Amino acid sequence: MLKGLNQEQKAAVEHFGSPLLLLAGAGSGKTKVLTHKIGYLIKEKNIKPHRILAITFTKKAAQEMAGRVERMLSIKPRSISTFHSFCVRVLREDIAALGRNFDKNFIIYDQTDSKKTVKDILRRLNLDPKETDAAQKTISKAKQTYRDNIVEYIAGMPFPQNQHAETANAYQTDLERSNALDYDDLIHYTAHLFVTRPEVRGKWQDRYDFFMVDEFQDTNEIQYSLIKLLSAGNRNNIFVVGDPFQTIYTWRGAVPENILKFGREFNATEMRLEKNYRSTKKILDVANIVIGNVDRMWADKVLTLHTDKEEEGEVEYRSAEGNDAENRHIAEKIIALAKTEKYSYSDMAILIRMSFLSRGLESSFMRYGIPYEIVRGLAFYERAEVKNLLCYLRLMSNTRDRAAFDRVVNTPSRGIGKKAIGMITGNFKTGWVQALRDTRFSQKQRVNADALISMLLKHGDTVEEKPYTVLMSVIRELNYLEYLKEEYKEDHEDRIENVSELSNVLLSIEKAGKPFSEFMEDSLLASDQDRISQEESVKIMTIHAAKGLEWPVVFLPAMEEGIFPSERSLESGAALEEERRLFYVACTRAKEGLYLSSADYRMKFGRTSQMLRSRYIGEVMEVISGGKKE
């Protein structure tokens, strides 16, 4: 279990009997330490695999960790998961203990479902639908800070957030009526169970002998509370790994101070991993200089990355006259690197600070014939033709699902207008099948409504075990492919191909015996990284989406004030600190080549705007130029 580990890694794996905080720099082998730690606990400390709970932030990271453990021990670990997946497991088993109108077959609303629900509520309350994003953000923020009653908490917030208390109350009521939870509810309700129901908390505490948490710097307030609650019965057997200088998610609730708090509250031993196995020396020199200028508060936590690699690696900066010239330069550099045969297109990534930068890169890559993939945008399961069909299956599985009902009731059109939908909603008591039955329709509407009822009831008992079989029946009964041809004349062929792909996915799910609800959880809780294809292409993505990934060659375009660091960050010292950490994360994605660039001017709203070179370029220019000062 200790083979292939350096001294620092070995010490972290062998540590046992008291809380441990491991500060692990980028590329320092933290995943290796986590997996070897699991192996060590099983082999040397005789802890059963299912009694080790390891939590990380992305499904991709959890799968990688589980795969490594399985290859190392020939044991399939069952307790390596994301925060959200763990909480789903708790709630599937114990949600009834909340004493609310939920059952274990609850569905999870994605961002689109949640947004539509909030917008509908604002309209219902005669409030401005333009406040949808602000209301949704306030509700999410409230759930990330554990409170027994989030509506009261929002009401006590300063203006203008406190205006959203009524919306939050209606939103939570609508979710409960639909037997639905949003992403934040998964952790919020689990924490609520652990706080208010000691017998539930005790049951889950007793299931585990050891707790591990990866990416601890990304935990928010409620996630930290959840870890404290879970480990309360066994505080000595907890191991957390993090790097405060890779905290880039404070905008969605991450609290980097949790690392400091953990050290104090758990009286944790602190260890460090500073040897980097990913990047060459010159790239690490750039990263170390930038992160060495952080706020004094973190001065004693700064990790100085070093490597045994002899090759210097290439770090280059180039200033272009305009953004078109910069994109051309990047395209030409990619082609030149690919021609050396040292690198393939999939060895290269363009990491952008803002998503608008992808348009110019796309145009340039198309002109030069460079294969590329943009890792963002509409996910497959969010495409209208796919989501509509999934909502039919969701509604069969849970006839209380409001978001699913709203999508399918008139897709394809059944002639059920707003007035009729208002009557159906008013008749809702136990579910949408009951509401449809209790509504007085015109003769034509009644025929269509009864056909929908028949479809929902016919497949309700089989959709969980046979999602592919049910999907194909729904497509036939709705004449769905003909509907797509009529509704989307311009691109119906692409949409039909997407439906075909959905059928392929559900066929594999059905053959594997995987329940439909579990498939929905996996697709809803997936991150951008889980959607990266293995195709031979240059990847274009935001730096946030790239965290945890690596490539031999990385390009960082638009290194300009107002873009990187962003214009908004210039107004706040804390935001500027986060931009610095973001640049550090971007640099440490590169293994051998790091290519920075900027443009002297960009077009904004049809006018030419002069751009200033990013401050970070000035800080690292001496390293880039080989010791020569500008």
Side-chain angles (χ1 to χ4, degrees):
M1 293 303 104
L2 303 177
K3 188 177 179 182
L5 302 177
N6 65 34
Q7 286 303 113
E8 291 76 19
Q9 292 170 334
K10 194 180 293 185
V13 168
E14 289 183 304
H15 181 91
F16 190 77
S18 67
L20 174 62
L21 167 62
L22 181 65
L23 299 179
S28 61
K30 71 178 179 66
T31 304
K32 187 173 186 176
V33 170
L34 284 161
T35 51
H36 279 254
K37 181 85 172 179
I38 292 171
Y40 181 82
L41 292 170
I42 293 169
K43 290 294 186 182
E44 302 297 327
K45 298 300 178 181
N46 299 314
I47 297 177
K48 302 292 184 187
H50 67 276
R51 296 190 63 83
I52 301 168
L53 178 63
I55 294 179
T56 186
F57 271 81
T58 67
K59 180 181 162 189
K60 186 177 187 295
Q63 289 174 335
E64 181 183 351
M65 207 185 303
R68 288 196 192 188
V69 171
E70 188 173 2
R71 288 190 294 274
M72 184 167 55
L73 300 176
S74 298
I75 295 171
K76 196 160 188 172
R78 290 181 292 165
S79 297
I80 300 177
S81 70
T82 64
F83 268 103
H84 289 93
S85 295
F86 170 73
C87 290
V88 168
R89 204 184 317 155
V90 173
L91 294 172
R92 291 282 181 222
E93 194 168 318
D94 287 315
I95 198 166
L98 284 173
R100 309 282 287 273
N101 193 26
F102 295 110
D103 63 48
K104 65 179 182 179
N105 296 318
F106 64 84
I107 51 111
I108 304 166
Y109 274 9
D110 61 19
Q111 284 294 96
T112 305
D113 294 328
S114 297
K115 188 171 185 175
K116 184 184 182 304
T117 303
V118 171
K119 185 173 281 189
D120 289 346
I121 287 167
L122 288 169
R123 288 190 177 119
R124 200 165 75 218
L125 297 175
N126 294 318
L127 298 171
D128 188 354
K130 291 178 182 176
E131 287 293 305
T132 298
D133 288 343
Q136 197 173 13
K137 187 176 180 180
T138 298
I139 294 167
S140 178
K141 183 179 178 182
K143 290 178 182 179
Q144 289 172 11
T145 306
Y146 178 71
R147 296 292 185 279
D148 182 26
N149 189 315
I150 67 157
V151 175
E152 289 180 2
Y153 178 57
I154 292 172
M157 285 181 168
F159 180 84
Q161 290 100 315
N162 58 8
Q163 294 185 112
H164 302 305
E166 185 182 9
T167 305
N169 187 45
Y171 175 69
Q172 292 305 112
T173 300
D174 274 20
L175 287 181
E176 190 167 344
R177 190 167 81 154
S178 293
N179 194 26
L181 281 67
D182 66 18
Y183 289 131
D184 294 310
D185 283 330
L186 296 174
I187 298 179
H188 183 268
Y189 280 131
T190 301
H192 186 67
L193 268 177
F194 288 172
V195 168
T196 61
R197 300 302 296 265
E199 72 280 10
V200 174
R201 180 178 71 242
K203 181 179 80 171
W204 286 92
Q205 286 173 339
D206 291 345
R207 286 193 182 179
Y208 304 106
D209 295 321
F210 204 94
F211 301 93
M212 305 170 73
V213 187
D214 189 16
E215 304 286 8
F216 201 73
Q217 76 280 349
D218 291 334
T219 54
N220 59 27
E221 188 174 327
I222 196 168
Q223 288 164 340
Y224 182 80
S225 299
L226 193 64
I227 292 300
K228 284 181 68 177
L229 288 163
L230 261 176
S231 62
N234 198 353
R235 280 290 177 90
N236 284 329
N237 284 358
I238 184 166
F239 170 47
V240 306
V241 184
D243 179 0
F245 306 108
Q246 293 191 66
T247 303
I248 58 175
Y249 295 117
T250 59
W251 50 276
R252 69 182 188 196
V255 181
E257 290 79 11
N258 282 347
I259 283 183
L260 304 178
K261 195 191 293 187
F262 179 84
R264 290 194 309 268
E265 294 186 356
F266 283 76
N267 192 25
T269 300
E270 182 181 302
M271 294 184 182
R272 299 180 175 215
L273 298 182
E274 295 178 296
K275 185 174 181 179
N276 179 282
Y277 293 90
R278 176 187 298 155
S279 307
T280 50
K281 185 178 182 302
K282 201 167 184 180
I283 292 170
L284 294 183
D285 287 344
V286 167
N288 286 332
I289 286 173
V290 170
I291 211 61
N293 293 326
V294 292
D295 186 275
R296 290 179 188 172
M297 167 185 172
W298 296 100
D300 67 333
K301 302 295 183 192
V302 170
L303 300 169
T304 303
L305 300 178
H306 59 89
T307 181
D308 289 342
K309 289 184 179 180
E310 293 183 5
E311 64 270 31
E312 283 287 309
E314 187 169 27
V315 181
E316 181 184 281
Y317 165 70
R318 177 163 174 170
S319 174
E321 185 181 359
N323 47 290
D324 287 342
E326 181 188 21
N327 292 329
R328 283 197 304 274
H329 159 66
I330 291 172
E332 288 166 0
K333 186 69 178 180
I334 287 171
I335 289 171
L337 289 170
K339 280 182 177 177
T340 66
E341 297 186 0
K342 181 181 179 181
Y343 300 113
S344 65
Y345 287 122
S346 59
D347 288 330
M348 297 180 252
I350 320 288
L351 305 186
I352 53 178
R353 177 61 187 90
M354 297 178 183
S355 57
F356 81 87
L357 294 165
S358 66
R359 189 211 59 79
L361 289 163
E362 277 193 270
S363 298
S364 186
F365 285 9
M366 284 189 283
R367 281 198 302 272
Y368 282 86
I370 297 172
Y372 68 91
E373 176 188 357
I374 297 183
V375 185
R376 64 159 174 78
L378 202 60
F380 176 75
Y381 297 113
E382 286 298 301
R383 297 179 188 279
E385 62 278 9
V386 172
K387 184 150 189 174
N388 289 339
L389 288 171
L390 287 176
C391 280
Y392 270 100
L393 272 61
R394 273 173 47 180
L395 193 57
M396 292 167 188
S397 178
N398 171 23
T399 60
R400 290 162 55 189
D401 187 342
R402 172 66 186 264
F405 174 77
D406 285 347
R407 285 193 78 101
V408 309
V409 66
N410 263 323
T411 307
S413 175
R414 294 184 172 86
I416 298 175
K418 285 185 179 179
K419 185 178 179 181
I421 290 174
M423 290 191 293
I424 299 168
T425 303
N427 287 330
F428 181 97
K429 295 182 182 68
T430 59
W432 294 106
V433 168
Q434 161 266 312
L436 284 166
R437 281 174 171 162
D438 293 348
T439 300
R440 295 180 63 182
F441 291 115
S442 68
Q443 187 175 357
K444 184 180 178 182
Q445 287 174 333
R446 171 48 64 194
V447 170
N448 290 335
D450 286 346
L452 177 58
I453 291 170
S454 174
M455 180 190 294
L456 296 175
L457 293 178
K458 180 166 66 174
H459 300 299
D461 293 335
T462 55
V463 65
E464 184 72 354
E465 296 174 359
K466 296 187 176 295
Y468 168 75
T469 303
V470 172
L471 174 73
M472 298 310 291
S473 292
V474 169
I475 290 171
R476 285 193 299 271
E477 290 174 44
L478 295 177
N479 204 6
Y480 195 67
L481 302 186
E482 286 302 314
Y483 158 73
L484 292 178
K485 288 177 185 177
E486 288 296 317
E487 189 74 11
Y488 303 101
K489 291 183 171 61
E490 295 289 324
D491 62 349
H492 68 270
E493 290 176 341
D494 284 345
R495 292 175 185 270
I496 289 172
E497 286 301 318
N498 287 334
V499 172
S500 172
E501 182 60 23
L502 175 64
S503 71
N504 294 337
V505 172
L506 292 188
L507 177 60
S508 65
I509 295 301
E510 188 170 311
K511 283 183 174 179
K514 187 174 183 178
F516 174 67
S517 57
E518 190 177 325
F519 155 73
M520 287 301 297
E521 284 168 20
D522 287 347
S523 60
L524 285 166
L525 300 179
S527 67
D528 284 344
Q529 291 186 8
D530 299 315
R531 302 180 184 115
I532 299 174
S533 77
Q534 301 304 311
E535 292 179 4
E536 178 62 25
S537 59
V538 177
K539 303 299 184 278
I540 303 173
M541 68 180 74
T542 64
I543 301 167
H544 285 97
K547 187 170 177 292
L549 302 177
E550 60 183 42
W551 293 269
V553 174
V554 167
F555 291 83
L556 295 181
M559 293 300 303
E560 299 142 27
E561 293 288 303
I563 293 181
F564 205 0
S566 69
E567 191 166 353
R568 183 182 295 180
S569 72
L570 302 178
E571 302 169 3
S572 159
L576 265 175
E577 284 290 302
E578 180 136 348
E579 291 288 300
R580 180 174 293 281
R581 296 194 295 266
L582 192 61
F583 182 61
Y584 172 78
V585 167
C587 292
T588 52
R589 300 311 94 201
K591 296 164 79 172
E592 299 164 13
L594 177 63
Y595 299 97
L596 310 163
S597 60
S598 65
D600 295 334
Y601 68 84
R602 290 186 183 275
M603 296 297 292
K604 293 186 176 182
F605 298 102
R607 295 184 177 182
T608 301
S609 295
Q610 191 74 29
M611 305 300 291
L612 294 176
R613 189 182 70 180
S614 170
R615 64 192 68 193
Y616 307 133
I617 297 297
E619 291 178 21
V620 303
M621 203 61 203
E622 194 170 337
V623 171
I624 294 173
S625 59
K628 299 174 185 176
K629 293 194 176 182
E630 288 185 278

